[in-house]
Structures are given as structure tokens and as C-alpha cells.
Amino acid sequence: MNLKGKKILVGVSGSIAAYKAALLVRLLVKAEASVRVVMTDAAKEFITPLTLSVLSKNPVLSTFSDAQDGLWNNHVDLGLWADAIVIAPATAKTLSKCATGNCDDLLTAVYLSARCPIFFAPAMDVDMYHHPSTKNNIDTLESFGNSFILPDFGELASGLIGDGRLAEPEKIITKLSAHFARKPVAVTKKVLITAGPTVEPIDPVRYISNRSSGKMGYAIAEAFAASGASVTLVTGPTDLKITDATIKVVRVESASDMFAVTSDQFQQNDLVIFAAAVADYTPKFVADQKIKKQGHEMMLELEKTTDIAGTLGSTKKEGQLLIGFALETENELEYAMDKLQRKNLDYIVLNSLNDPGAGFAHDTNKITVIDKYKNIQHFDLKSKEEVALDILNIVLAKWSEA
């Protein structure tokens, strides 16, 4: 989550979906954002200002002045205060007013005064959403540089089924978080990441593999994509799902498959992270039919697979960064440093099976990062998502230096 300390202004307009604004505000506060709420008069027909005031821990505003105490609610100050404005729900009327500059309430005045990114989350009936006038207003607002969090498909208040349901608050939070995660230094970068195990077939039903879950590589892919980088993930077999639709996912099975895909794309990328647990050996002969059990012993002849990181590291281009992983059980630093040099890497991420909670299958990891100059950084046990952010920050710092 990248919302801690961010100032978010939530605009609420008059829709039955306004009740979801309560959960949105609650989630923003939980993410440690500072939240202000501006409502239209119509919105107050669906949810009370008191509810949103209690949840946001700030007064809720809807008029230019407070008749009780005579205070002026300065729309310019509100627009300049916010790091981002999200109008949720955004009705067809509100979209039209913002698109045409029809500034007749506090919310539209704040919108016109803002210099920060604006996010609209539309909510309306399906025919209203698809009407040419609404589509034209959305196109106009997008041409101004505003962003849209598209509505969901489902049953609407009218009883019709279609587009128009306000995006769930969790989806809005994800969109805002992704916005603040973007780093200018990362948006022009291309990143190639390998993840998961490989499987080496013995016969049509049996194979050799390892205990890698792919969780670390997937977390790294999500972190770099959120930063704005263009990410390709080459993954061995795993049940994991990618949540960021911008990540290009290429699924492979064996070490030779992974080498073929990775080597084909290697030169196109500014950063390559070898997080996959690639099999070191593969059966020399693969049976066409299932091998039947015979006798008390079976001899399986193996041959080395291609060392993907080592082979590609020898062709590293100038300015390209390579990061490898080392999972060790003894002489950890010695083996990791040797691997770092042999494979021509810029960094190696070491984790030890001797550390509880680290290594395969866990949701946590404890890493040590060593660079090619033998500088060492130790990190505490963290979730793999947090570890991915540590790795991201190391790379961002390196890119910023350049």
C-alpha cells in the first residue's frame, strides 16, 4: 500500500452507490491516508455527512460557506490541498458538469481548482452509462488528463444487468495505490523476471522438480509493475495468479523452455531478475510411455541443464542490471558471492533455509543482498511483498544514480 501520509479528497455525488463511500473512506483511513470529503446536496439524500465525518475524522463539506458559523469553505485551498481527488460515485450529471465546467456547487469548484490527479468512478444505470452524451463527457475528461476507474458489470438498482455498478472500494484503493507507486525513473524501463520451479519430464506422468512456489518472483513482478515499469514474467508451473493486468505472463514448463523464452527477450530489457528455481539437471532420456515398475532399483541418467543466468550474464549489455537469487544451506555468503561473480550479476539475493520463515513455500522471506562491489545489506524477516519492495527500492536507487 502506497497511501500512507497521502492527502485524498473524496467527492461524493448523488447516487444509490453513495453508501459505498463509507467503506472507501474507511479503507483510506486504514491505509493511513489523510481524508477530506466533499458531498453534493443530492448525495446527502443517500448517506449522511455525519457518517463520513466520523469515518474520515474531518468535517464533511457541501456548501461554499457554513451558515452556522459563517466560515468560508475555500474551494481553491481544498483543490490545492489534495494529492489526489477521487469522485466516487460520479453520476452522469457530475461527469457532465466537470466536462463542461458547469461550476454550481462546491464539488465542481474543487475539481476546477485542483492541480492534482483526478480519478472518476462512475455509477449509473447501464443505458445512461452507454449513452453517447455520457461517453462524450468521459472522453472529454480523459482528454484533460483525468483517470477513470471503470464501473463493474452486474445487477443495478433498476433491476437491469449491465455496466454501471460503482467499482468496489477495494478496487478504487488498488487504483490509487498503484498511482502513488509509480516512479518516474521506472516508467521507461523494461523488466524481465523469471519465477517458480521448472519441471523436467521422466515419462508422460512423472517429472523432477523442486519446492519453489513462485511467490517471491510473482511479488517482485507486481512491485515493479506498480512502479510503472513494463514487466514480463516468465513463470514455471504454479497456481499463483497475477493481479496487475499490465504484466505480460509467459508460462513455461522445463528449464530448456525457460531458457528459450528468457534468452529471446534478454537484450530488450533494462533489468533481468532470475528468481526462478531452475532445475540443475534433467533426465537425459524421456520415455514416450509410462515406465513400468521393474525390480527393486531404477537408474535415472541425468544431464546438466543450461545455466540461464550464467549464459545470459556473459552477454550482458552496458547499463543492463542483472539480479540473481541464491538459496543456500551452508557457507551462505561464500557461495552467494561466488555465484554473483561467476554469473556476471550486479546483485545477488541470498536466503538461507537455516532462517525460519525463509525459502520455499513460505509467505515470508529473510534476505541478504550483495552487490558486485561486495557491499552487503541485511534485511529482517518480512512478507514477500515487503521483500519485493526492498528489492525494488535498491533498483530504483541504482537507476536514479544513473
Side-chain angles (χ1 to χ4, degrees):
M1 197 66 65
N2 301 283
L3 298 174
K4 183 176 181 180
K6 300 301 182 184
K7 294 175 286 188
I8 310 297
L9 191 145
V10 177
V12 184
S13 58
S15 162
I16 185 63
Y19 76 91
K20 290 185 179 180
L23 179 55
L24 174 60
V25 169
R26 182 176 178 274
L27 290 174
L28 286 168
V29 171
K30 186 177 180 181
E32 301 184 64
S34 179
V35 183
R36 303 290 301 273
V37 178
V38 174
M39 303 178 70
T40 65
D41 284 337
K44 292 187 285 187
E45 299 291 326
F46 297 96
I47 185 171
T48 68
L50 178 61
T51 297
L52 297 177
S53 177
V54 171
L55 291 172
S56 68
K57 301 178 173 55
N58 278 305
V60 171
L61 308 177
S62 59
T63 59
F64 287 99
S65 63
D66 190 319
Q68 258 189 335
D69 55 24
L71 293 179
W72 171 249
N73 297 322
N74 193 319
H75 58 282
V76 175
D77 287 347
L78 286 167
L80 297 180
W81 169 83
D83 293 314
I85 294 175
V86 56
I87 301 179
T91 60
K93 180 180 180 181
T94 296
L95 294 176
S96 175
K97 289 164 65 176
C98 290
T100 58
N102 182 4
C103 176
D104 65 352
D105 60 20
L106 183 61
L107 179 56
T108 49
V110 170
Y111 165 74
L112 290 175
S113 303
R115 297 179 183 176
C116 63
I118 312 287
F119 297 85
F120 289 94
M124 63 198 74
D125 209 69
V126 57
D127 295 311
M128 296 174 67
Y129 180 63
H130 287 289
H131 195 279
S133 61
T134 302
K135 291 298 185 186
N136 183 63
N137 288 330
I138 290 174
D139 290 343
T140 298
L141 289 168
E142 285 184 326
S143 74
F144 295 161
N146 301 305
S147 299
F148 276 78
I149 304 171
L150 298 181
D152 292 333
F153 182 95
E155 185 176 358
L156 306 170
S158 65
L160 297 176
I161 305 294
D163 298 321
R165 289 171 59 96
L166 177 66
E168 292 303 318
E170 293 85 356
K171 182 178 177 181
I172 297 173
I173 291 289
T174 298
K175 182 80 171 181
L176 289 172
S177 181
H179 164 75
F180 287 110
R182 291 176 68 84
K183 308 295 182 184
V185 73
V187 294
T188 60
K189 303 296 186 181
K190 297 184 69 175
V191 180
L192 179 65
I193 300 167
T194 66
T198 63
V199 297
E200 310 302 319
I202 298 171
D203 63 21
V205 298
R206 301 181 180 93
Y207 59 82
I208 299 171
S209 190
N210 57 61
R211 299 180 186 275
S212 173
S213 65
K215 290 178 181 178
M216 192 69 256
Y218 274 62
I220 295 170
E222 297 273 7
F224 274 90
S227 76
S230 175
V231 176
T232 299
L233 177 67
V234 183
T235 174
T238 173
D239 294 330
L240 300 177
K241 304 295 182 185
I242 281 293
T243 61
D244 191 319
T246 68
I247 298 173
K248 179 183 177 182
V249 180
V250 182
R251 301 189 182 278
V252 298
E253 293 279 332
S254 66
S256 60
D257 295 337
M258 184 168 283
F259 175 67
V261 173
T262 307
S263 60
D264 181 61
Q265 302 197 28
F266 179 74
Q267 293 294 330
Q268 307 165 26
N269 287 272
D270 303 287
L271 167 68
V272 182
I273 302 179
F274 302 101
V278 183
D280 294 319
Y281 292 89
T282 189
K284 190 172 184 178
F285 303 103
V286 180
D288 294 332
Q289 303 296 326
K290 178 183 175 183
I291 300 172
K292 304 303 291 182
K293 182 166 59 177
Q294 296 178 355
H296 297 289
E297 295 181 352
M298 175 184 172
M299 298 297 293
L300 187 63
E301 192 173 359
L302 304 177
E303 61 182 358
K304 273 191 174 183
T305 59
T306 301
D307 180 348
I308 299 177
T311 302
L312 297 181
S314 65
T315 66
K316 181 172 65 173
K317 64 183 181 181
E318 185 177 354
Q320 192 175 35
L321 292 180
L322 304 186
I323 300 177
F325 274 70
L327 176 63
E328 304 293 347
T329 59
E330 60 179 349
N331 302 324
E332 289 98 339
L333 278 174
E334 178 186 342
Y335 289 155
M337 286 184 174
D338 175 66
K339 190 173 184 179
L340 173 70
Q341 294 176 347
R342 281 191 295 106
K343 298 178 187 288
N344 197 27
L345 305 174
D346 296 280
Y347 299 91
I348 194 155
V349 180
L350 167 66
N351 45 256
S352 170
L353 286 181
N354 294 318
D355 292 322
F360 291 152
H362 296 289
D363 292 326
T364 54
N365 205 358
K366 183 178 180 181
I367 65 168
T368 297
V369 179
I370 311 161
D371 69 17
K372 62 182 180 181
Y373 305 109
K374 299 185 179 180
N375 297 309
I376 300 174
Q377 297 183 64
H378 297 286
F379 295 86
D380 294 331
L381 183 71
K382 301 180 181 182
S383 71
K384 287 185 174 175
E385 288 75 17
E386 291 174 307
V387 171
L389 291 176
D390 288 333
I391 295 169
L392 170 66
N393 288 331
I394 288 171
V395 173
L396 291 178
K398 185 66 175 178
W399 280 340
S400 296
E401 286 176 12

